[in-house]
Amino acid sequence: GQSLEQPSEVTAVEGAIVQINCTYQTSGFYGLSWYQQHDGGAPTFLSYNALDGLEETGRFSSFLSRSDSYGYLLLQELQMKDSASYFCAPRDNYGQNFVFGPGTRLSVLP
Amino acid sequence: DGGITQSPKYLFRKEGQNVTLSCEQNLNHDAMYWYRQDPGQGLRLIYYSQIVNDFQKGDIAEGYSVSREKKESFPLTVTSAQKNPTAFYLCASSIRTGGTGYTFGSGTRLTVV
């Protein structure tokens, strides 16, 4: 079967660092994507990890451990505009589609 | 600029009516997807298409139908058989099935009145 776990909510202050964890179980595994979605908007692609390790893109980094079925999104130098929902999405082996988690709502406080 | 266009942005449907949501992309992507999102929830896959004239059911296909007659277009019909259609509907595409990530449209918010 498939399962995905993310924290439902995270709160942090401007300028801080926050880590959003994701554990997954899928039918086979190709890689892990992360998306950001502001209220009422469309999800936007942030990153994709196919191999173990850390990928850095500006203030955002994403990590993957295939052996642990675990990944995280690291957001540095938080800004108010980072307040949004963040979804992890592993790509499964069955339909080769991405499976979206329940999302983590990040609130950045001044 | 390339992208995905969904229309309309807001749609109201009476009980018992079928409605069709439009999704058009000019990214030259082969694969297209329809997702449903309920308030505070994640995205659930309704249908996907890997290539023209082919589509597959996702996790919650009951009460929905699609067609893929052109590469650029993947309309979704919400039929009267869908018992709880009020939701936010998102169309997405990728260069091929899976790939590294999806490009999403801006969504259609459907409300049953």
Side-chain angles (χ1 to χ4, degrees), chain B:
Chain B
D1 287 339
I4 298 181
T5 301
Q6 288 189 244
S7 61
K9 189 171 179 67
Y10 298 95
L11 185 58
F12 297 89
R13 189 195 93 170
K14 293 183 179 179
E15 296 258 4
Q17 281 184 338
N18 292 355
V19 289
T20 297
L21 283 59
S22 170
C23 177
E24 304 276 334
Q25 55 100 357
N26 60 3
L27 298 166
N28 200 32
H29 285 175
D30 284 326
M32 297 187 74
Y33 312 82
W34 274 105
Y35 285 89
R36 169 181 173 141
Q37 186 175 34
D38 293 285
Q41 304 291 314
L43 283 67
R44 292 184 290 168
L45 182 64
I46 305 172
Y47 268 97
Y48 64 100
S49 169
Q50 299 175 332
I51 199 168
V52 175
N53 291 323
D54 180 71
F55 49 83
Q56 307 293 329
K57 292 182 179 179
D59 301 319
I60 55 166
E62 185 175 351
Y64 300 97
S65 66
V66 293
S67 63
R68 186 84 187 276
E69 297 176 1
K70 298 187 301 182
K71 186 175 185 177
E72 301 79 16
S73 179
F74 192 41
L76 174 74
T77 297
V78 184
T79 74
S80 57
Q82 170 50 236
K83 298 305 179 189
N84 185 22
T86 295
F88 188 44
Y89 290 88
L90 287 157
C91 179
S93 72
S94 61
I95 192 163
R96 61 185 184 282
T97 302
T100 60
Y102 297 162
T103 301
F104 281 87
S106 57
T108 293
R109 194 166 299 278
L110 173 64
T111 304
V112 174
V113 295

Side-chain angles (χ1 to χ4, degrees), chain A residues 64-109:
Chain A
L64 175 66
S65 170
R66 297 174 70 105
S67 60
D68 295 324
S69 297
Y70 164 76
Y72 66 74
L73 182 68
L74 189 72
L75 296 85
Q76 302 182 71
E77 301 173 16
L78 280 174
Q79 301 175 9
M80 298 293 288
K81 66 178 182 180
D82 297 330
S83 292
S85 292
Y86 292 84
F87 295 89
C88 68
R91 183 177 156 201
D92 75 3
N93 194 39
Y94 176 64
Q96 299 187 33
N97 296 319
F98 287 92
V99 179
F100 286 80
T104 298
R105 187 172 184 86
L106 171 64
S107 298
V108 180
L109 305 178

Side-chain angles (χ1 to χ4, degrees), chain A residues 6 10 12 19 24 26 28 30 40 45 52 56 58 61 73 79 92 95 97-98 100-101 104 106 108:
Chain A
Q6 296 179 239
V10 173
Q19 179 174 313
Y24 58 86
T26 56
Y30 280 101
F45 173 80
D52 286 357
E56 299 181 54
S61 302
L73 182 68
Q79 301 175 9
D92 75 3
N97 296 319
F98 287 92
F100 286 80
T104 298
L106 171 64
V108 180

